[in-house]
Amino acid sequence: MPASSISNPTWGVIVVGGGHAGAEAALAAAKLGVKTLLLTQTVDNLGAMSCNPAIGGLAKGHLVKEIDALGGAMGQVADQTAIQFRVLNRAKGAAVQATRCQSDMLAYKTQMRARLERQPGLTIKQAEVAGLKLEMGRVVGVTSLMGEEIKAQTVVLTTGTFLNGLIHIGDQRHKAGRAWEFPSTLLAEQLKALGLNWGRLKTGTTPRLDGRTIDFSKMEPQPGDDPFVPFSFWGPPAQYLAQQPCHITFTNAKGKEIIEANIHLSAMYSGAITGIGPRYCPSIEDKVSRFPERDRHQIFIEPTSLASFEYYPNGMSTSLPLPVQEAFMRSIVGLEQVEIVRPGYAIEYDYLQPTGLKNSLESKDLPGLFAAGQVNGTSGYEEAAAQGLIAGINAARLTQNRPPLVLGRHQAYIGVLIDDLVSKGTAEPYRMFTSRAEYRLSLREDNADLRLSPIGREIGLLGDKEWDLFNTKQEALARLRELAHTLYVYPEPGAPPIEHRLKLEVFLKKPELDFAALERFKGQEELAPLAEFTDAVKKTVETEFKYEGYLRRQESQVQNYLKTDAIQIPASFDYTTVIGLSKEVCQKLLQARPQTLGQAAKISGITPAAIALLMVAIQKGRK
């Protein structure tokens, strides 16, 4: 009897996996009018926060704002389910300030699932994908573990840590994708058999603690911002959740002794783990080993949900045996009587080297196949969601015979993320940082909508309501800029000292002065019109004036970058014909197969001289 198929014989897009990347990919594809099927092992875990209960943070908050500006879901769901908001790096410049929220993990996945289930054109099925269907070297669907053959024009892989996933707790090993869910082994082996370049990575999570056994009185409370700044540009949810404090405590010398005495039992140090772990999110064993001079490390005790007593000790991922985890946790001030609800663990998994992808996130070797999230070697919910959004958009656009959406490094952190991955690849879990964005002064959180919402509107992700809000903000910005060119601020007793009258734009350019300082200039009626503008509008205009010279210089750098990056390298280009290129350089270029000269310039070992030779050869070829 022939294999069955799910309902409709052909789908436009199949999304494999229902995590943060899969959710954004499926929503985007369906919103663009393409019949979309999301396949996940466990429907109950759609949009689950499998590790820390938080969204955003340094550079990650920029990604969330950009997802929201384009029409993605993460920012709005984060606002609906946040139990604490904080802006990080307030004391630093606007470019590196970032929004972070503590999330209600249970509410987050409930709200994301509801959004997925309400989306017209999107079907959700519980099934494990065992392999890809190929015809003439092209991906044309998937096969399930139950023997179903499901045809599609495109497939988006968002398998997270499930490919050959292996969980470690001390010397205990369990095949699992995350938190005891089944791993994806058949699909992983097929991808290897197809000759795709793959590797092995490791990540980890912390033990979860029973909040009823924590003595918070011994810890430093960490409240959120009041008032707070949400993520979404498109208005607040119907109601925010009750805001909760986090708490800070520290490890100590006693805990360090426990780790040192038992570090040989950690899966990371016993030789059981071969995958490379995240350099910027080390386990507690790594912290003790790498920083032996330090007796204490900061731990954030974070609530996971208003409906749960579980707490998350941020900064405490571990693969030590459970008895050692318990002993160590109880050495920490405030946790002397703590009970562990779930042990921490490390997880190894296969990933696909992202240099095998185009900058649209489509495979170079298997047309019709897109990949997003941890399967591409990244870490973090936000990095996954950003990739999922772009992969979903481009999978849908491919079915519509439309060109892919590609964001440049000068346009968005999303562009930096994808360009880094496809140009350089990664040998460790990739995490976004503001330092990775060379044009970060113009890629701020506050202007993500100004940069990207016109794109979201053009491709069809932003509706009329969002577009009206965007245009209203644009009009307010224009009015405030005009007022800043015409209004004057006069010296006044009790206000910040200025020697003589200043035009408002000059006033705002001074490092020590801002719109908040204007509130102390109470006797000047001509400043009254400023009260009608929102804090968000004021912040954007203030930043534009303060950094005007730097932004102008950065724009010049962007134009030079675009000249190089705009030069396309033909897929059939023969590097061996370029006189002057070494064999080593040719091999690296053949392996990476860059799509543009800008991508070629980022490959390790490719010199400026080699790029100059390539530029001449490509231009001659065109003539």
Side-chain angles (χ1 to χ4, degrees):
M1 185 174 178
S4 62
S5 62
I6 288 183
S7 305
N8 302 307
T10 304
W11 299 85
V13 177
I14 289 177
V15 177
V16 181
H20 301 284
E24 294 289 355
L27 286 168
K31 285 175 76 172
L32 293 182
V34 176
K35 190 166 66 173
T36 303
L37 173 65
L38 190 157
L39 296 174
T40 180
Q41 282 191 17
T42 311
V43 171
D44 291 341
N45 282 338
L46 284 171
M49 305 178 82
S50 54
C51 192
N52 63 310
I55 296 291
L58 300 179
K60 293 170 178 282
H62 291 72
L63 290 173
V64 180
K65 291 275 192 176
E66 291 178 353
I67 291 166
D68 186 68
L70 283 166
M74 178 173 268
Q76 292 183 62
V77 177
D79 286 350
Q80 282 180 287
T81 58
I83 53 179
Q84 185 190 103
F85 285 99
R86 291 181 67 223
V87 173
L88 310 183
N89 275 350
R90 276 192 183 276
K92 296 185 179 180
V96 295
Q97 292 178 10
T99 307
R100 181 185 189 271
C101 79
Q102 201 65 38
S103 297
D104 185 315
M105 299 175 77
L106 301 180
Y108 188 95
K109 74 175 185 177
T110 298
Q111 291 296 332
M112 185 61 80
R113 177 177 176 176
R115 191 171 286 250
L116 288 161
E117 290 179 337
R118 290 195 305 264
Q119 176 59 48
L122 173 61
T123 299
I124 301 167
K125 297 285 185 179
Q126 184 162 296
E128 179 180 338
V129 171
L132 302 173
K133 269 185 68 67
L134 286 88
E135 292 179 5
M136 306 287 290
R138 181 180 183 84
V139 173
V140 295
V142 300
T143 58
S144 79
L145 197 61
M146 301 295 288
E148 298 160 305
E149 292 188 354
I150 314 164
K151 291 185 177 181
Q153 293 172 273
T154 58
V155 173
V156 182
L157 280 185
T158 67
T159 49
T161 59
F162 279 71
L163 295 181
N164 277 328
L166 184 64
I167 280 178
H168 298 262
I169 303 175
D171 61 358
Q172 300 290 311
R173 296 190 198 106
H174 309 276
K175 292 183 178 180
R178 72 176 172 205
W180 321 113
E181 294 181 74
F182 294 114
S184 180
T185 54
L186 293 175
L187 178 59
E189 295 312 310
Q190 186 206 29
L191 293 172
K192 293 178 186 178
L194 289 171
L196 299 179
N197 188 7
W198 66 280
R200 194 106 170 122
L201 294 177
K202 167 263 173 188
T203 189
T205 190
T206 74
R208 306 303 198 274
L209 310 179
D210 186 335
R212 298 168 297 186
T213 62
I214 298 174
D215 187 349
F216 294 105
S217 68
K218 295 182 177 179
M219 302 178 183
E220 176 190 342
Q222 185 188 46
D225 292 344
D226 185 17
F228 55 75
V229 178
F231 281 108
S232 183
F233 293 102
W234 316 124
Q239 184 175 359
Y240 287 108
L241 297 183
Q243 301 295 286
Q244 304 295 309
C246 296
H247 289 80
I248 298 172
T249 187
F250 295 87
T251 65
N252 51 46
K254 180 181 177 182
K256 179 182 176 184
E257 290 175 6
I258 293 171
I259 298 289
E260 289 175 335
N262 293 280
I263 199 166
H264 63 286
L265 301 175
S266 165
M268 279 296 295
Y269 287 84
S270 67
I273 291 178
T274 58
I276 299 171
R279 190 187 341 169
Y280 303 106
C281 188
S283 67
I284 191 64
E285 299 98 289
D286 282 335
K287 290 179 181 179
V288 169
S289 175
R290 288 162 51 182
F291 306 104
E293 72 283 359
R294 296 183 61 180
D295 283 338
R296 72 177 203 161
H297 299 276
Q298 187 169 249
I299 305 293
F300 295 91
I301 307 297
E302 302 173 342
T304 62
S305 172
L306 298 177
S308 172
F309 53 76
E310 284 189 42
Y311 276 74
Y312 182 95
N314 200 331
M316 259 290 300
S317 72
T318 181
S319 61
L320 285 163
L322 180 55
V324 181
Q325 292 188 34
E326 289 176 335
F328 174 73
M329 294 304 303
R330 290 172 182 169
S331 71
I332 298 171
V333 173
L335 303 180
E336 293 87 351
Q337 306 298 322
V338 79
E339 294 289 342
I340 291 178
V341 179
R342 313 184 203 192
Y345 61 81
I347 182 167
E348 284 186 280
Y349 55 96
D350 293 346
Y351 79 106
L352 300 177
Q353 187 56 256
T355 50
L357 300 174
K358 301 176 184 177
N359 48 18
S360 64
L361 295 181
E362 185 184 13
S363 171
K364 294 175 181 175
D365 298 302
L366 295 174
L369 178 67
F370 292 77
Q374 283 179 286
V375 70
N376 289 342
T378 58
S379 67
Y381 307 146
E382 302 82 4
E383 290 90 343
Q387 293 171 74
L389 179 65
I390 299 301
I393 289 169
N394 287 331
R397 288 175 71 85
L398 184 60
T399 71
Q400 299 165 334
N401 294 316
R402 299 169 74 186
L405 171 65
V406 176
L407 298 175
R409 300 181 71 89
H410 65 297
Q411 290 176 291
Y413 271 79
I414 296 174
V416 174
L417 165 68
I418 293 175
D419 186 59
D420 277 354
L421 293 172
V422 302
S423 299
K424 305 174 186 176
T426 187
E428 63 183 8
Y430 177 102
R431 178 178 178 177
M432 179 52 71
F433 292 102
T434 52
S435 59
R436 296 189 189 274
E438 56 269 54
Y439 309 120
R440 57 187 171 274
L441 194 56
S442 56
L443 304 183
R444 307 183 308 275
E445 277 196 357
D446 68 275
N447 70 355
D449 56 337
L450 306 184
R451 292 183 278 117
L452 299 176
S453 291
I455 297 172
R457 176 67 171 181
E458 181 185 355
I459 64 176
L461 284 185
L462 286 181
D464 291 341
K465 175 190 170 185
E466 290 82 9
W467 192 238
D468 287 345
L469 287 169
F470 174 79
N471 285 323
T472 298
K473 180 178 177 180
Q474 286 277 63
E475 292 165 4
L477 287 167
R479 290 201 313 274
L480 184 53
R481 291 186 192 111
E482 182 60 31
L483 283 173
H485 290 312
T486 57
L487 290 180
Y488 283 89
V489 183
Y490 294 85
E492 184 176 321
I498 54 176
E499 294 181 2
H500 48 76
R501 73 169 191 168
L502 294 175
K503 194 172 283 189
L504 179 54
E505 66 173 295
V506 177
F507 180 92
L508 293 173
K509 286 179 181 180
K510 292 184 174 295
E512 71 279 9
L513 298 175
D514 53 22
F515 274 108
L518 280 177
E519 295 177 5
R520 294 169 62 186
F521 288 83
K522 298 178 181 178
Q524 300 180 36
E525 291 184 6
E526 58 267 43
L527 299 179
L530 301 179
E532 71 175 88
F533 298 97
T534 65
D535 289 342
V537 168
K538 289 178 179 176
K539 180 177 181 180
T540 297
V541 170
E542 180 182 305
T543 303
E544 288 173 351
F545 283 127
K546 267 190 170 47
Y547 298 106
E548 184 178 22
Y550 298 103
L551 288 167
R552 194 181 301 117
R553 186 187 310 161
Q554 193 165 94
E555 179 58 29
S556 174
Q557 295 169 347
V558 166
Q559 293 307 314
N560 290 333
Y561 153 73
L562 289 175
K563 288 177 184 177
T564 303
D565 201 57
I567 299 176
Q568 298 285 321
I569 301 176
S572 59
F573 188 79
D574 186 355
Y575 296 103
T576 62
T577 64
V578 181
I579 298 172
L581 284 188
S582 68
K583 287 184 178 180
E584 180 187 4
V585 167
C586 286
Q587 287 173 352
K588 288 186 175 185
L589 290 167
L590 286 167
Q591 184 178 13
R593 291 175 289 171
Q595 294 175 268
T596 69
L597 209 58
Q599 285 186 359
K602 299 180 190 77
I603 299 170
S604 176
I606 306 300
T607 64
I611 294 298
L613 291 171
L614 275 176
M615 183 183 294
V616 172
I618 292 168
Q619 289 171 342
K620 281 184 177 179
R622 286 177 178 170
K623 292 177 181 178

